[in-house]
Each structure stands twice: as structure tokens, then as C-alpha cells.
Amino acid sequence: MIEYIRGELAELSPATAVIDCNGVGYAANISLNTYSAIQGKKTCKLYVYEAIREDAYVLYGFANKEERAIFLLLISVSGIGGNTARMILSALSPAELVNVIGTENANLLKTVKGIGLKTAQRIIVDLKDKITTVGVPDGGASSGTTLLPTANTEVHDEAVSALTMLGFAPAPSQKVVAAILKEESSAPVEKVIKLALKRL
């Protein structure tokens, strides 16, 4: 079993990374979170999950162990395959996903392409107790976003709700609002919405 691949980043797209290890190029499917984490680097280390099927041998690569742990939990849910799990991890960061499942936010989860309400509810039911055991960092380089302090949650939810009513998709709205609140934690909801409108 391959635990990780470390080497020169030979090719990179938002969906795949090719790591050159001593002249052998390993192609790994990646999420947008991992893409953001390794973009611009000459060398990188990806933690690996091997999907071995009758018709294919596929590698999935992750910038950190936490994202891989969440990926493994997602594919343990009936009806969720590797590509769907990668899609979920591209729409939401590991920290956001832990938050979404922990707060049973099925409506946000079903905004991910390919996830209906029933599947979103199944993910929440199956993973609600398991996901808390995954040590997702709430800050630092390995995590793109942080879980919000409770004081910000109300402003965050109001801003996302307003942006959704204005016609923006909930997942990107959540990301932008979380980023703004990370920069300006005491910003009132009106300011957050105005700043978000410029970024969306």
C-alpha cells in the first residue's frame, strides 16, 4: 500500500497532479483544496488513497492526512464513490465539511454537484458521530479556512442567507463569507455582504 508520494511536481491541474518520483510519474486525482495547497510548489508530498477496481487503478492525492481521513469516511457512505467524495472536498474545505456535518446542514451539502437531499442526509446520519474524531486543523497552512468562533456564526449565517437570496450558490458564498470574517472578525453583516458581493 502506498502511504504517500513525494517528488517533483511535474504537472498540475485543478483535478490532477503528476508527481515525478525518480523518473516515474504518478498521476493522482486531487481536490481543489489540495490544488490550492500545492500550487506554485516545485516539490510536494501527497498522502495517497489507492482505488483498485477490476477496470482501473486510480490514485487519489491529498495535501494532508486530515483531508484523506475525511475522504475515506465519505467513500464509506453507501452511494458515494471516489469522484463524488473528491467533488465534495472541492466544494468545501475539510474544516467546513466537519462544520456542515456537525450542524446537520443538509441544504448546504446538497448544493454540491451530484449530491441530492437524500444523499446529503445519508452522509450526515452516517458520519455525524465519526467525523468529530478526525483532527481537522482549525487554522494554519494545511487548512484553507477556519471554523468560525460562535460570535461570528450569526453574522456568517445571515450573510450567507442574504447572498443565497440574491442568487449566489451557498457553497461559494460560505467560503467567501468565512474568508472575510477571518480577516475582519468584528465586521457587521452589511459590510460582510458588501465585501462578498465584490468577490463572488
Side-chain angles (χ1 to χ4, degrees), residues 124-181:
I124 288 166
V125 169
D126 286 8
L127 301 185
K128 194 173 190 316
D129 296 330
K130 297 176 188 172
I131 201 106
T132 52
T133 62
V134 179
V136 173
D138 61 358
S142 59
S143 156
T145 58
T146 61
L147 288 171
L148 298 168
T150 48
N152 286 350
T153 310
E154 206 170 294
V155 172
H156 176 270
D157 291 349
E158 273 186 54
V160 171
S161 175
L163 290 164
T164 307
M165 281 187 254
L166 288 168
F168 294 97
S173 300
Q174 281 238 343
K175 272 193 167 174
V176 169
V177 169
I180 291 164
L181 285 171

Side-chain angles (χ1 to χ4, degrees), residues 1 9 26 30 39 85 91 98 101-102 110 119 126 129 144 182:
M1 180 180 161
L9 191 52
Y26 292 92
I30 58 171
Q39 196 179 13
V98 169
I101 292 170
K110 77 181 177 73
T119 307
D126 286 8
D129 296 330
K182 195 175 166 186

Side-chain angles (χ1 to χ4, degrees), residues 13-15 30-37 67 86 89-91 175:
S13 78
I30 58 171
S31 71
L32 285 176
N33 289 309
T34 292
Y35 174 73
S36 299
E67 189 180 19
R86 181 175 64 155
L89 284 166
S90 289
K175 272 193 167 174

Side-chain angles (χ1 to χ4, degrees), residues 6-100:
R6 180 166 52 203
E8 191 181 320
L9 191 52
E11 291 174 34
L12 181 65
S13 78
T16 54
V18 177
I19 313 289
D20 185 326
C21 280
N22 300 320
V24 179
Y26 292 92
N29 290 319
I30 58 171
S31 71
L32 285 176
N33 289 309
T34 292
Y35 174 73
S36 299
I38 65 175
Q39 196 179 13
K41 293 185 177 178
K42 285 186 175 169
T43 61
C44 74
K45 176 180 179 180
L46 289 182
Y47 292 94
V48 169
Y49 168 73
E50 300 167 86
I52 301 167
R53 303 195 305 262
E54 285 181 16
D55 60 340
Y57 178 74
V58 184
L59 299 179
Y60 291 90
F62 307 93
N64 55 55
K65 285 184 174 180
E66 293 80 17
E67 189 180 19
R68 182 175 65 178
I70 290 177
F71 177 88
L72 293 173
L73 286 176
L74 285 169
I75 62 172
S76 73
V77 177
S78 173
I80 301 290
N83 283 332
T84 305
R86 181 175 64 155
M87 185 75 74
I88 294 168
L89 284 166
S90 289
L92 300 161
S93 74
E96 287 170 327
L97 191 57
V98 169
N99 207 2
V100 164

